[in-house]
PDB file of all heavy atoms in Angstrom:
ATOM      1  N   SER Z   2     102.681  59.403 111.421  1.00 79.00           N
ATOM      2  CA  SER Z   2     101.990  58.871 110.243  1.00 79.00           C
ATOM      3  C   SER Z   2     102.991  58.512 109.148  1.00 79.00           C
ATOM      4  O   SER Z   2     104.120  59.002 109.129  1.00 79.00           O
ATOM      5  CB  SER Z   2     101.025  59.924 109.705  1.00 79.00           C
ATOM      6  OG  SER Z   2     101.754  60.959 109.101  1.00 79.00           O
ATOM      7  N   LYS Z  54     103.938  70.977 110.892  1.00 92.00           N
ATOM      8  CA  LYS Z  54     104.020  72.287 110.249  1.00 92.00           C
ATOM      9  C   LYS Z  54     105.274  72.389 109.394  1.00 92.00           C
ATOM     10  O   LYS Z  54     106.354  71.974 109.823  1.00 92.00           O
ATOM     11  CB  LYS Z  54     104.033  73.401 111.305  1.00 92.00           C
ATOM     12  CG  LYS Z  54     102.708  73.580 111.988  1.00 92.00           C
ATOM     13  CD  LYS Z  54     102.749  74.733 112.955  1.00 92.00           C
ATOM     14  CE  LYS Z  54     101.378  74.891 113.603  1.00 92.00           C
ATOM     15  NZ  LYS Z  54     101.330  76.025 114.504  1.00 92.00           N
ATOM     16  N   PRO Z  71     103.988  83.651 110.713  1.00 82.00           N
ATOM     17  CA  PRO Z  71     103.754  83.638 109.266  1.00 82.00           C
ATOM     18  C   PRO Z  71     102.812  84.746 108.797  1.00 82.00           C
ATOM     19  O   PRO Z  71     101.911  85.154 109.535  1.00 82.00           O
ATOM     20  CB  PRO Z  71     103.132  82.275 109.024  1.00 82.00           C
ATOM     21  CG  PRO Z  71     102.458  81.933 110.300  1.00 82.00           C
ATOM     22  CD  PRO Z  71     103.265  82.568 111.381  1.00 82.00           C
ATOM     23  N   LEU Z  83      99.865  64.608 100.073  1.00 90.00           N
ATOM     24  CA  LEU Z  83     100.432  63.501  99.303  1.00 90.00           C
ATOM     25  C   LEU Z  83     100.208  63.739  97.808  1.00 90.00           C
ATOM     26  O   LEU Z  83     101.113  63.519  96.985  1.00 90.00           O
ATOM     27  CB  LEU Z  83      99.768  62.186  99.748  1.00 90.00           C
ATOM     28  CG  LEU Z  83     100.576  60.921  99.559  1.00 90.00           C
ATOM     29  CD1 LEU Z  83     101.919  61.001 100.261  1.00 90.00           C
ATOM     30  CD2 LEU Z  83      99.790  59.718 100.064  1.00 90.00           C
ATOM     31  N   GLN Z 109      93.116  90.597 101.835  1.00 68.00           N
ATOM     32  CA  GLN Z 109      92.271  89.667 101.076  1.00 68.00           C
ATOM     33  C   GLN Z 109      92.891  89.365  99.714  1.00 68.00           C
ATOM     34  O   GLN Z 109      92.248  88.857  98.824  1.00 68.00           O
ATOM     35  CB  GLN Z 109      90.876  90.282 100.881  1.00 68.00           C
ATOM     36  CG  GLN Z 109      90.071  90.388 102.161  1.00 68.00           C
ATOM     37  CD  GLN Z 109      89.889  89.034 102.849  1.00 68.00           C
ATOM     38  OE1 GLN Z 109      89.459  88.078 102.232  1.00 68.00           O
ATOM     39  NE2 GLN Z 109      90.258  88.956 104.127  1.00 68.00           N
ATOM     40  N   MET Z 110      94.186  89.700  99.582  1.00 75.00           N
ATOM     41  CA  MET Z 110      94.829  89.582  98.285  1.00 75.00           C
ATOM     42  C   MET Z 110      95.495  88.213  98.119  1.00 75.00           C
ATOM     43  O   MET Z 110      96.103  87.697  99.049  1.00 75.00           O
ATOM     44  CB  MET Z 110      95.903  90.666  98.177  1.00 75.00           C
ATOM     45  CG  MET Z 110      96.427  90.886  96.799  1.00 75.00           C
ATOM     46  SD  MET Z 110      97.547  92.299  96.785  1.00 75.00           S
ATOM     47  CE  MET Z 110      98.941  91.632  97.669  1.00 75.00           C
ATOM     48  N   ILE Z 134     111.947  56.893  93.266  1.00 76.00           N
ATOM     49  CA  ILE Z 134     111.262  55.682  92.791  1.00 76.00           C
ATOM     50  C   ILE Z 134     112.073  55.035  91.665  1.00 76.00           C
ATOM     51  O   ILE Z 134     112.215  53.820  91.597  1.00 76.00           O
ATOM     52  CB  ILE Z 134     109.818  56.020  92.326  1.00 76.00           C
ATOM     53  CG1 ILE Z 134     108.991  56.455  93.534  1.00 76.00           C
ATOM     54  CG2 ILE Z 134     109.176  54.823  91.632  1.00 76.00           C
ATOM     55  CD1 ILE Z 134     107.686  57.137  93.196  1.00 76.00           C
ATOM     56  N   ASP Z 137     117.392  56.869  91.222  1.00 60.00           N
ATOM     57  CA  ASP Z 137     118.503  57.719  90.814  1.00 60.00           C
ATOM     58  C   ASP Z 137     119.193  58.425  91.982  1.00 60.00           C
ATOM     59  O   ASP Z 137     120.323  58.857  91.879  1.00 60.00           O
ATOM     60  CB  ASP Z 137     118.021  58.801  89.834  1.00 60.00           C
ATOM     61  CG  ASP Z 137     117.604  58.180  88.518  1.00 60.00           C
ATOM     62  OD1 ASP Z 137     117.911  56.995  88.328  1.00 60.00           O
ATOM     63  OD2 ASP Z 137     116.985  58.875  87.709  1.00 60.00           O
TER      64      ASP Z 137
END
Side-chain angles (χ1 to χ4, degrees):
Chain Z
S2 72
K54 289 183 179 183
L83 206 56
Q109 291 303 308
M110 194 174 71
I134 294 165
D137 292 348

